[in-house]
Amino acid sequence: MKISHNIPAYRINNTLQKNSKASSSSLEKLSSGLRINTASDDAAGLAISEKMRAQIRGLYQASRNVQDGISLIQTAEGGLQEISEILQRQRELTIRGLNDPLTDEDRRKIDTEIHQLTDEIESLSKKTSFNTMNLLARTDYKILADRSSSISAFSASDPPPVSSINKTIVFKPRGTPEEARHVISSSDTSETTHTFSNTNNITPLVLPDGTEAFNEYNVDTLTTTKTDTNKTVYESLTAVNDPEFSKPAYWYSHGMNKTSFGPRHSIDAYGSMLEDIEVNGSSREVEYTSRSNSGSDPAWDHMWFPGTNLSVMRYRTLLADNSMEIRYEITNKDSFNMNVNLSNIVNPPANSVITGAGGSPLANGHTVISPPGGSSFSMTGTVANAGIQFPLGSVSPTELSIDNPAAGQPQVNFNWQLTVPSGSSVTFGFKYGPFSLNYEPFEQTQETVETKHIETTVNTDITDIDYLPPKLTIQAGANKDETLVIPLFNVGTQGLGIKDLGLLPPSIPEQALAKADGAIEKVLHYRAMYGALQNRMEHTLNNVNNSAENQMTAESRIRDADMAKEISNMTKSNMLMQAAQTMLAQANQHPQAVLQLLKG
């Protein structure tokens, strides 16, 4: 037995220290919740965990960055939306101002509103900002290439003259000479018109280094057309020998009982006649069952009266002495006698002087002749002459009255009052004429010759530039080069090309609508671009958040302690430590055995 070295005690003490260290380690992990508290716990795991923690914190910051970018885009898009509304109103006002029924004062008021709205677009573009940075009035573009140009083309033309000829029959006093073709009027007018067209395309470009740029291709074409017009009117007068222009004819008004007498192309030259027929004391609507063609000779009309069996055949026949015979044949097919009152009003040729059979002019005023049998009158007018004779046949008018005002047109009134027996016919009438013209017919030819001189100027302004707009870079990830770029544009009045939009000079109204359309198209392009970019950033945000969540899960697996396992380890270490302490006490008793030997 040895007493210098208590080998069992040393061994048990070593085991006790190991168990104590294991228990202490378990207590540390349980108290912190982490599997790795110091580098000695797991050097490689600690390194991986710390890298992941850096990524996680970077991803959460990137998420906040992307949200800031989305807010910025929404701010810019809100400004663009309001500008779009203003442009729509300007377009509406322009369409209204181009409406011809408006007065110049109306257009001035509309033009004032258009200019006020233009100023507001400029103001909005300058005031729309995010964190003090302007978003919509950026002029700090970097021009990469400029292929813009301006072209002006001039042309002039003289189209062939255009003639139009209008021929009419006119009646002139006898002895009027013919007139050769001569100028009666000549006028010069000048008109300037403008047409404007615009095309605008913005195309994304990708530079060799991956940078996003844009190409803007804009074409403004203004066509100014000045038309100088000379309109000269020539006239000639040629005598007409065609007898049709002196031969009497008649024309009736459809559905009425008015008849006009006159030669061809001169209705009412010989006067006119109106009729009214009463049957049994009341006026009846006249219905025509058949009629000859207007102006034919002989002419006839078959009339009847609703509610009766009374019919009238009226004949008009041109006689050899150039007069018109007016004859009525009234037939009663009813079983009782009918009372008929036929009233006629004759309006003689214009400005007539009426004389009786003896050639003496009638006195002014109202003359009544009853009965007028065998009466005849002459009516001499400035253009034509006519006569009227009663009766034609055995039946005379009941009464004849003549109105002959001192200054005016005479009128001849007469009527027949008769009874038509049942089943019989009555024929009567009068002669109107003979007719003669105091004027001679001429063919008047008016020829209008229109000549034009047209000058056209076409100004074409082409903007073709590659440019790099100012941009904001969003750090959208936890690592280098994980970025999103938000381009910024100029939607002020200069950038939209509407600085001079208006309806009054110096603005050109014809340009206004096309310019408004071009500006609306450009704003819509920018809004679509920002909308697409915002959708992209929403997906980026979702991806960043998902990545942060997944990396946090992975880092937890490496760094966090398994609490159940550590509790088991601590329990095991405590039990072993208690057993070691007991055994150490036993080992320390071994040297006492030597003393027992000495006692013996």
Side-chain angles (χ1 to χ4, degrees):
M1 300 179 65
K2 299 177 180 179
I3 61 172
S4 297
H5 292 86
N6 192 346
I7 301 303
Y10 286 143
R11 288 176 178 171
I12 292 170
N13 183 55
N14 185 38
T15 302
L16 178 62
Q17 290 179 357
K18 289 180 179 179
N19 290 333
S20 177
K21 182 180 180 182
S23 177
S24 176
S25 176
S26 295
L27 282 171
E28 184 180 11
K29 292 175 181 177
L30 287 171
S31 63
S32 67
L34 298 176
R35 186 181 70 85
I36 303 173
N37 289 286
T38 62
S40 62
D41 291 336
D42 185 350
L46 178 65
I48 295 172
S49 173
E50 289 299 326
K51 287 182 180 178
M52 284 187 172
R53 285 189 173 186
Q55 287 290 303
I56 291 167
R57 293 181 66 175
L59 286 170
Y60 278 125
Q61 183 57 53
S63 174
R64 290 190 290 272
N65 292 349
V66 172
Q67 291 180 66
D68 288 343
I70 291 174
S71 298
L72 184 145
I73 288 177
Q74 288 174 333
T75 302
E77 207 279 328
L80 288 173
Q81 181 178 1
E82 192 58 35
I83 289 174
S84 181
E85 291 291 335
I86 294 174
L87 289 171
Q88 294 284 9
R89 174 60 177 165
Q90 286 185 313
R91 188 180 191 277
E92 178 184 2
L93 290 170
T94 299
I95 292 174
R96 184 179 181 186
L98 293 174
N99 195 28
D100 278 346
L102 295 181
T103 65
D104 290 341
E105 182 60 31
D106 295 332
R107 288 190 178 86
R108 271 191 290 273
K109 293 174 182 176
I110 293 172
D111 193 67
T112 299
E113 183 175 352
I114 290 175
H115 284 294
Q116 287 294 324
L117 292 174
T118 300
D119 293 342
E120 182 58 23
I121 289 176
E122 185 70 17
S123 176
L124 270 175
S125 67
K126 291 179 178 178
K127 289 190 291 189
T128 304
S129 60
F130 186 86
N131 193 26
T132 72
M133 290 182 294
N134 180 268
L135 302 179
L136 299 180
R138 302 301 291 263
T139 58
D140 46 338
Y141 287 17
K142 181 180 180 182
I143 305 299
L144 304 176
D146 189 349
R147 296 172 292 275
S148 303
S149 62
S150 293
I151 304 170
S152 181
F154 176 81
S155 62
S157 64
D158 295 288
V162 177
S163 298
S164 60
I165 297 177
N166 181 36
K167 294 187 177 184
T168 57
I169 297 298
V170 296
F171 292 87
K172 300 281 186 179
R174 295 184 183 278
T176 300
E178 294 184 334
E179 297 177 3
R181 183 174 181 265
H182 60 282
V183 176
I184 62 169
S185 67
S186 181
S187 61
D188 293 306
T189 59
S190 183
E191 180 184 18
T192 300
T193 60
H194 304 277
T195 58
F196 180 79
S197 65
N198 168 269
T199 59
N200 183 277
N201 293 299
I202 299 175
T203 307
L205 300 176
V206 179
L207 302 182
D209 61 357
T211 304
E212 292 184 354
F214 295 89
N215 169 260
E216 180 171 349
Y217 187 79
N218 182 84
V219 180
D220 291 333
T221 303
L222 175 64
T223 303
T224 302
T225 303
K226 180 184 178 185
T227 304
D228 296 323
T229 303
N230 172 265
K231 184 181 289 186
T232 302
V233 180
Y234 299 89
E235 190 175 271
S236 62
L237 198 66
T238 307
V240 176
N241 298 320
D242 188 342
E244 290 294 322
F245 292 103
S246 59
K247 176 182 176 182
Y250 88 97
W251 295 263
Y252 57 77
S253 298
H254 181 70
M256 295 177 61
N257 58 350
K258 177 184 176 182
T259 303
S260 297
F261 301 97
R264 184 179 171 188
H265 289 285
S266 184
I267 297 175
D268 284 350
Y270 296 142
S272 63
M273 180 183 73
L274 292 91
E275 299 164 321
D276 180 63
I277 301 178
E278 292 184 358
V279 180
N280 289 338
S282 61
S283 296
R284 302 294 184 103
E285 180 183 0
V286 178
E287 293 191 9
Y288 297 89
T289 58
S290 57
R291 308 186 77 167
S292 63
N293 292 327
S294 178
S296 61
D297 178 45
W300 51 268
D301 302 284
H302 184 220
M303 302 173 287
W304 70 286
F305 304 89
T308 73
N309 283 319
L310 187 77
S311 64
V312 177
M313 283 294 295
R314 175 176 56 195
Y315 300 93
R316 301 179 185 87
T317 306
L318 181 61
L319 303 179
D321 63 351
N322 213 29
S323 61
M324 188 75 69
E325 177 187 278
I326 314 296
R327 181 165 53 91
Y328 301 92
E329 182 179 305
I330 302 179
T331 302
N332 180 12
K333 293 184 179 180
D334 270 327
S335 59
F336 51 86
N337 298 342
M338 284 195 184
N339 297 319
V340 177
N341 182 22
L342 172 61
S343 299
N344 296 77
I345 299 174
V346 172
N347 296 302
N351 302 316
S352 291
V353 174
I354 187 166
T355 58
S360 299
L362 292 185
N364 294 331
H366 186 71
T367 301
V368 177
I369 301 173
S370 180
S375 298
S376 64
F377 302 91
S378 297
M379 294 167 284
T380 304
T382 55
V383 176
N385 309 311
I388 187 167
Q389 299 178 23
F390 303 99
L392 179 67
S394 59
V395 180
S396 295
T398 306
E399 183 180 270
L400 171 68
S401 65
I402 300 175
D403 292 315
N404 190 27
Q409 182 67 28
Q411 190 178 82
V412 180
N413 304 275
F414 53 95
N415 68 321
W416 280 270
Q417 295 178 1
L418 62 155
T419 299
V420 183
S422 171
S424 65
S425 298
V426 177
T427 300
F428 58 91
F430 65 98
K431 186 171 77 169
Y432 189 47
F435 304 113
S436 61
L437 277 174
N438 297 328
Y439 280 32
E440 294 179 327
F442 289 84
E443 182 180 70
Q444 187 179 64
T445 302
Q446 278 198 353
E447 180 183 4
T448 303
V449 180
E450 191 174 85
T451 59
K452 294 180 181 293
H453 176 72
I454 302 173
E455 295 180 351
T456 303
T457 304
V458 181
N459 292 317
T460 304
D461 293 322
I462 300 174
T463 301
D464 185 7
I465 58 173
D466 298 340
Y467 63 93
L468 192 63
K471 62 184 179 180
L472 298 176
T473 302
I474 303 297
Q475 182 64 39
N479 302 312
K480 181 183 178 183
D481 296 332
E482 292 180 353
T483 59
L484 288 173
V485 174
I486 302 176
L488 303 178
F489 301 100
N490 180 14
V491 291
T493 54
Q494 191 73 35
L496 295 177
I498 58 169
K499 190 178 178 81
D500 299 322
L501 187 70
L503 297 173
L504 300 177
S507 300
I508 299 176
E510 290 79 4
Q511 280 185 325
L513 189 58
K515 281 190 172 183
D517 286 338
I520 290 172
E521 187 64 31
K522 184 176 282 191
V523 171
L524 292 179
H525 178 85
Y526 293 152
R527 290 184 66 183
M529 186 183 301
Y530 281 150
L533 187 55
Q534 181 178 339
N535 289 338
R536 177 186 175 185
M537 295 181 77
E538 297 281 0
H539 290 294
T540 300
L541 178 62
N542 293 337
N543 182 61
V544 166
N545 291 336
N546 290 338
S547 296
E549 179 182 346
N550 293 332
Q551 290 206 40
M552 183 180 292
T553 302
E555 195 267 342
S556 174
R557 293 192 187 100
I558 297 173
R559 195 74 175 256
D560 292 350
D562 185 339
M563 300 300 284
K565 179 181 177 182
E566 293 303 328
I567 290 173
S568 297
N569 288 339
M570 187 186 71
T571 302
K572 172 185 171 185
S573 299
N574 287 341
M575 292 175 66
L576 290 173
M577 190 168 59
Q578 290 174 14
Q581 289 173 347
T582 301
M583 292 302 103
L584 181 60
Q586 292 295 326
N588 287 332
Q589 296 298 321
H590 285 180
Q592 297 298 322
V594 176
L595 293 176
Q596 292 298 327
L597 291 175
L598 292 174
K599 289 179 179 180

